[in-house]
Amino acid sequence: MKCKSLALVGLLLALALCLSACETAQESAQSGDHSFHYGGSVTLRILSGSENQELESILDAFARQEKINIEMTYQGSLDIMRALQADSVPYDAVWPASSLWLSAGDSAYRVKHAQSISITPVVFGIRQSLAEELGFVGREVSVSDLLAAIEAGQLKFCMTSATQSNSGCSAYIGFLYALLGNPEAITSEMLASDALKERITSLLSGVDRSSGSSDWLKDMFLAGEYDAMVNYECLIISANQELEARGEETLYVVYPYDGLSLADSPLGYVDNGDSRKEEAFLQLQEYLLSDAVQNQIQRTGRRTGYEGVSQENLDVFRGEWGVQPERVLSPINMPATDVLFECLNLYQTQFRKPSLTVYCLDYSGSMLGEGRAQVVEAMSQILLQENARANFLQASEQEINILIPFEGYPRTVYWAQGNGAELEALYTRVEEEQAGGGTDIYAAALEGLKQLAEYDLEEYTPAIILLTDGVSSGDAEDFLREYESLGLDGIRAYKETLDYVKAAGMPVIADIKRGDIAKTAEMYAKAHFEGDFEADFITLAPYMGLDSIRPYLPYVTAAGKGLFVLVRTSNPGA
């Protein structure tokens, strides 16, 4: 349904801007996200779910103590499954959120010594006041109770993609299991039910925001203003610790009793024939399973068994947050691998809220050669549905995809609805565009805003995605003016844009060009280096000299912030 209200542009902010630096992303993926090197002669390369980032201090202590280097690379559990299905696995160990992905991916039986390191259920975390309003506090809550609240317009929630992350997948399978009446096992015949399709589609219509990983979802939630999220119990606890420290309302944990799923966090060795690495792995595993370290793991909000936690850690699993440390965890039966894949395909093509995605594709001169090739390859994985199906990225019949190829200006706009020939024809457009000219990513993003303003964004999961090397000669002023022209909606939109970019783990450069002095400059510094509009770098226009720069310098030295100072600009009047 089309909607002409410009205020809806503010909802762009559903997903805001995602800047993808083609070469940088590839290099990062190859080099490992976090490394712990203390001069060891053996290095363990571990492919892990993002939720294990909270255990890095424990891994660091092991590497320091044992002189065994560790390199962590974080990906979604389904990506880990796909890595195991490849002809070769360039890692020494895998650590997904659930054993499900080892079973589904390790068809060559290369993983050995797999053991569960911790256990955490997938739960709802709902703002305390809303949980009380819904009547969820102090009682057992079913998936049908949650569905009723969603259908009444009382509950929206954040959840990771069921086809890209274990927490989203586990929650989704739990929903299916409960809505089917808790069968012994989900079958293909059950999935064909029209009644099931109607109820699960209604439930997933409550998804307000999504993410590709559980840890990023938590960060996005903390940076925004949302009512609820589905995530691991340990990450809800972690979020509550931060919310409490900030003096903000905490989340109440709800365990859907008829659709509860667990993450058992198996750490397994990938046998590539190196006995020294295998020995180092077993040392690491023994360390993580030792009583002292298991106690440390409990302090992060993870359980180390199916019944209860130690007395000394009850202060972490707090009852006033709805956490039930003595709850006996009885998880659902996960479906067979072939049925699981059928569930994921149905989620992607029929059950989830349809996507409305604007792809701004950089064809400027700086993208000539490898950069352009990477854009074309990336879009082939999305638009060509045979490729998309291999990664559970296929489109639904209601989906809308918009392409904006750009250089120093948006060249044109291409549009397609659905998952048929019209969508795949967009790939021909991608191939036809050639690199050349200047770069203005802001003009492209602004055109994306205008395209989204034509739709009722409540009906979609909207996103603007920029595929670019990040080099831009354009000016952010037009883009910022678009926000300002929307009044309070624009200010809210700007904040949510910042929140999303931060949640995606990318540095934020706010092109604000402030130039005042004294107390006014101090307030500008506080506004853009702290609080709602916090950025990593800002731009300054010091027409009034060093006095317009000094108020920002304490943030540079104390908080590691950065400044871009305009000296001689390239515009004709400068």
Side-chain angles (χ1 to χ4, degrees):
M1 182 177 76
K2 295 254 181 162
C3 177
K4 295 295 183 181
S5 171
L6 235 169
L8 284 176
V9 175
L11 293 172
L12 130 78
L13 317 159
L15 284 169
L17 293 174
C18 184
L19 302 177
S20 174
C22 301
E23 294 185 16
T24 303
Q26 185 182 50
E27 291 165 2
S28 174
Q30 292 173 346
S31 62
D33 295 340
H34 294 270
S35 299
F36 309 99
H37 283 247
Y38 294 102
S41 59
V42 176
T43 297
L44 289 176
R45 299 163 299 170
I46 302 176
L47 181 59
S48 169
S50 65
E51 65 282 347
N52 291 323
Q53 284 181 286
E54 298 204 344
L55 302 181
E56 285 188 349
S57 61
I58 293 174
L59 298 173
D60 181 70
F62 169 81
R64 191 186 301 268
Q65 173 184 310
E66 301 297 332
K67 296 296 185 289
I68 294 174
N69 303 324
I70 295 177
E71 293 180 357
M72 300 294 292
T73 297
Y74 296 106
Q75 293 184 10
S77 290
L78 278 84
D79 291 319
I80 296 174
M81 176 195 73
R82 295 184 193 105
L84 289 173
Q85 292 172 337
D87 292 337
S88 61
V89 182
Y91 299 97
D92 307 305
V94 288
W95 198 354
S98 171
S99 296
L100 174 68
W101 308 113
L102 295 186
S103 301
D106 188 29
S107 56
Y109 302 104
R110 284 174 290 206
V111 178
K112 39 196 291 200
H113 309 308
Q115 290 198 56
S116 171
I117 302 301
S118 65
I119 294 168
T120 190
V122 178
V123 300
F124 270 77
I126 304 174
R127 296 279 182 189
Q128 178 75 31
S129 58
L130 179 58
E132 292 171 359
E133 181 184 327
L134 294 171
F136 289 169
V137 174
R139 75 172 179 90
E140 290 289 291
V141 177
S142 68
V143 170
S144 291
D145 293 329
L146 294 163
L147 175 58
I150 292 164
E151 290 181 332
Q154 296 174 296
L155 178 64
K156 287 187 176 294
F157 59 96
C158 304
M159 186 179 91
T160 61
S161 167
T163 57
Q164 303 303 316
S165 170
N166 180 73
S167 64
C169 177
S170 297
Y172 164 63
I173 297 298
F175 299 156
L176 292 176
Y177 185 79
L179 295 176
L180 287 167
N182 306 107
E184 184 67 28
I186 297 175
T187 66
S188 294
E189 291 73 24
M190 294 174 184
L191 293 174
S193 163
D194 289 336
L196 172 66
K197 179 178 180 180
E198 181 179 349
R199 299 189 78 198
I200 189 64
T201 301
S202 182
L203 195 155
L204 292 175
S205 73
V207 175
D208 195 19
R209 301 289 186 271
S210 191
S211 173
S213 82
S214 306
D215 204 59
W216 285 1
L217 187 79
K218 183 199 78 171
D219 291 343
M220 182 181 72
F221 184 91
L222 289 171
E225 297 178 2
Y226 307 108
D227 288 333
M229 71 170 159
V230 174
N231 214 326
Y232 300 120
E233 179 189 58
C234 62
L235 294 185
I236 301 291
I237 291 172
S238 174
N240 272 352
Q241 291 168 341
E242 184 164 341
L243 289 168
E244 186 175 71
R246 290 172 3 190
E248 299 177 18
E249 184 179 21
T250 53
L251 303 177
Y252 185 83
V253 176
V254 170
Y255 304 81
Y257 68 82
D258 53 349
L260 188 67
S261 55
L262 298 182
D264 62 345
S265 190
L267 175 63
Y269 175 68
V270 178
D271 191 358
N272 288 314
D274 189 328
S275 59
R276 294 177 67 232
K277 293 204 174 196
E278 184 172 4
E279 182 181 347
F281 169 85
L282 292 172
Q283 279 184 254
L284 172 61
Q285 192 176 68
E286 182 180 8
Y287 175 83
L288 292 173
L289 292 172
S290 67
D291 290 343
V293 175
Q294 286 280 286
N295 189 65
Q296 290 181 55
I297 289 173
Q298 274 196 12
R299 296 298 299 173
T300 69
R302 290 159 171 78
R303 301 170 187 242
T304 53
Y306 288 90
E307 299 183 21
V309 299
S310 64
Q311 190 71 27
E312 64 188 290
N313 291 326
L314 289 177
D315 62 316
V316 175
F317 298 80
R318 291 166 53 177
E320 65 266 33
W321 292 344
V323 182
Q324 300 176 23
E326 300 306 318
R327 186 184 188 102
V328 176
L329 301 177
S330 301
I332 61 170
N333 294 320
M334 297 303 283
T337 299
D338 60 333
V339 177
L340 171 66
F341 288 173
E342 186 176 353
C343 290
L344 296 180
N345 280 319
L346 285 169
Y347 169 87
Q348 192 67 20
T349 59
Q350 296 186 36
F351 294 163
R352 65 185 172 94
K353 185 186 291 188
S355 297
L356 166 57
T357 308
V358 179
Y359 295 97
C360 299
L361 308 181
D362 187 350
Y363 284 96
S364 64
S366 65
M367 297 290 286
L368 190 64
E370 184 64 18
R372 178 189 174 279
Q374 289 181 359
V375 167
V376 173
E377 171 59 23
M379 296 309 297
S380 76
Q381 299 303 312
I382 296 167
L383 300 177
L384 300 181
Q385 293 304 281
E386 183 178 352
N387 293 342
R389 274 189 291 275
N391 295 308
F392 297 111
L393 292 173
Q394 62 267 49
S396 69
E397 291 182 358
Q398 296 78 34
E399 200 153 304
I400 295 174
N401 285 278
I402 299 170
L403 299 186
I404 304 176
F406 72 93
E407 47 178 287
Y409 56 90
R411 292 178 177 177
T412 189
V413 177
Y414 300 113
W415 179 95
Q417 181 169 0
N419 54 11
E422 190 175 272
L423 176 64
E424 299 215 354
L426 288 183
Y427 181 65
T428 302
R429 302 294 191 181
V430 171
E431 286 188 305
E432 288 173 347
E433 295 287 340
Q434 299 301 313
T439 314
D440 191 342
I441 62 176
Y442 304 109
L446 187 56
E447 180 60 37
L449 274 172
K450 293 175 180 176
Q451 293 295 321
L452 291 190
E454 294 293 311
Y455 296 88
D456 179 358
L457 301 186
E458 288 293 326
E459 300 296 321
Y460 300 93
T461 300
I464 296 178
I465 298 175
L466 276 79
L467 293 182
T468 173
D469 58 7
V471 177
S472 181
S473 56
D475 194 326
E477 290 300 309
D478 287 342
F479 193 70
L480 294 175
R481 275 195 295 273
E482 185 74 18
Y483 281 130
E484 292 174 5
S485 71
L486 296 173
L488 292 177
D489 282 335
I491 296 298
R492 189 178 301 111
Y494 177 62
K495 177 188 180 300
E496 292 189 16
T497 300
L498 294 173
D499 292 342
Y500 186 79
V501 175
K502 284 184 274 192
M506 294 180 286
V508 177
I509 304 174
D511 189 11
I512 59 172
K513 295 188 178 71
R514 295 296 185 248
D516 218 316
I517 61 172
K519 193 67 176 177
T520 304
E522 289 177 19
M523 292 300 100
Y524 280 144
K526 183 176 181 180
H528 294 284
F529 280 151
E530 297 181 33
D532 289 342
F533 305 124
E534 181 180 0
D536 300 299
F537 299 85
I538 62 172
T539 57
L540 299 178
Y543 180 77
M544 290 186 275
L546 192 57
D547 290 344
S548 58
I549 297 176
R550 282 198 186 96
Y552 300 88
L553 297 180
Y555 292 93
V556 174
T557 55
K561 300 297 186 180
L563 305 172
F564 289 98
V565 179
L566 279 65
V567 179
R568 174 73 184 273
T569 58
S570 59
N571 57 295

